[in-house]
């Protein structure tokens, strides 16, 4: 039986060290400070941990996996800095600390986000320069860029902005969530699989597991915005209602949104159980991701 809390703690420490090591070491101090501020503020590190958990599940041992894992967290942190800007969700608290733009101003926060995004792809290109890693890195870059771009996170963010004050259908909310949040979580799993030399059958199974947990993750995020606590979450609550954003709980009602998350979890368990490797770790991780209170 896996002690998932211990696993999360152990991997979070490894990821934190790896991130620190991979931040740019030189450049104008202001931008380095702002990047470091948002990265160091904390965060659950669920995306890089998913990447590492896929490697552990597939029996892949090399520390090179930390490059794609960190790239995922750089992209995710950038997305949060921009998501909080006054022109977007206008949020003052993130990861328990004042948001990047509140401390450094809007212009620096925009640039810190840009720099983290660009840096993620520098890390991946350097990973590809290691002997034997070129092909994998190109595949990972393709995966991460499409998950972050207009077919993924950015596409979802624009749909999210356009949805403010509108009555969306369930299908529209689902599409928006799959793009803005699901895509990057799915990429965390798929990039872990590519880096670990997964077979095409394994990739297919992991991709379908990841699609389900990615969607369920946003349902939980929406429910926590409604029912969670600011202290525990380290970000404001009630923000979606304040901005009249259509969410899973707003279109389905909280109870049905919760049921939908449970159903997606069960579906993820069914897919991952068909993997040719023991999947307990990924099942426990899915549980943590979906049934969380922060
Ligand atoms: C929050 O992501 C934003 C969404 C995509 C829903 P997380 O809940 O993973 O945030 P951190 O990384 O722990 O701060
Ligand atoms: C954010 O969705 C998704 C991103 C791409 C950053 P939210 O706007 O719901 O995330 P929180 O609630 O601010 O963390
Ligand atoms: Mg948002
Ligand atoms: Mg937001
Ligand atoms: Mg939210």
């Amino acid at each position: 039986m896996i002690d998932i809390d211990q696993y999360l703690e152990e991997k979070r420490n490894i990821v934190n060290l790896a991130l620190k090591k991979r931040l740019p070491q030189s450049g104008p101090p202001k931008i380095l400070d702002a990047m470091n501020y948002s990265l160091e503020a904390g965060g659950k590190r669920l995306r890089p941990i998913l990447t590492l958990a896929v490697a552990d599940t597939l029996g892949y041992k090399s520390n090179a996996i930390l490059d794609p894992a960190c790239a995922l967290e750089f992209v995710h942190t950038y997305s949060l800095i921009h998501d909080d800007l006054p022109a977007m969700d206008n949020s003052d608290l993130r990861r328990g600390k004042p948001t990047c733009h509140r401390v450094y101003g809007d212009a620096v926060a925009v640039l810190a986000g840009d720099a983290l995004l660009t840096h993620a792809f520098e890390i991946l290109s350097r990973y590809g320069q290691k002997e034997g890693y070129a092909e994998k890195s190109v595949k990972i870059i393709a995966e991460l860029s499409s998950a972050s771009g207009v077919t993924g996170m950015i596409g979802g963010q624009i749909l999210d902005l356009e949805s403010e004050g509108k009555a969306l259908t369930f299908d529209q909310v689902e599409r928006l969530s799959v793009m803005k949040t699901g895509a990057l979580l799915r990429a965390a799993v798929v990039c872990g699989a590519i880096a670990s030399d997964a077979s095409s059958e394994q990739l297919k199974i992991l991709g379908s597991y990841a699609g389900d947990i990615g969607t369920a993750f946003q349902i939980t995020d929406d429910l926590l915005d409604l029912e969670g606590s600011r202290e525990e979450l380290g970000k404001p609550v009630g923000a979606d209602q304040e901005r009249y954003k259509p969410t899973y709980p707003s279109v389905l009602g909280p109870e049905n949104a919760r049921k939908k998350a449970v159903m997606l979890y069960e579906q993820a368990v069914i897919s991952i159980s068909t993997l040719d490797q023991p999947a307990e770790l990924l099942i426990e991780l899915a549980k943590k991701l979906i049934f969380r209170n922060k």
Side-chain angles (χ1 to χ4, degrees), residues 15-25 63 66 70 74 119 123:
V15 166
N16 286 341
L17 272 174
L19 287 168
K20 222 183 168 84
K21 225 176 105 189
R22 282 165 184 76
L23 269 172
Q25 300 300 315
N63 271 341
L66 288 167
C70 288
F74 285 136
H119 194 63
I123 297 283

Side-chain angles (χ1 to χ4, degrees), residues 124 127 133-146 190-191 194-195 197-198 203:
L124 289 176
Y127 164 79
Y133 284 80
E135 201 183 322
K136 283 203 265 198
S137 90
V138 173
K139 286 186 186 160
I140 289 172
I141 287 170
E143 200 62 49
L144 183 57
S145 51
S146 70
V190 170
C191 292
I194 297 168
D197 306 309
L203 257 174

Side-chain angles (χ1 to χ4, degrees), residues 55-65 127 133 136 195-197:
D56 285 342
T57 299
L58 299 181
Y60 182 77
K61 297 269 186 272
S62 166
N63 271 341
I65 191 75
Y127 164 79
Y133 284 80
K136 283 203 265 198
S196 307
D197 306 309

Side-chain angles (χ1 to χ4, degrees), residues 51 53 59 68 72-73 80 100-101 130 154 196-197 235 257 282 290:
T51 307
L72 256 302
E73 187 65 21
L80 298 180
C100 191
H101 67 273
K130 292 178 184 162
I154 294 289
S196 307
D197 306 309
K235 64 182 184 183
L282 293 175
I290 300 167

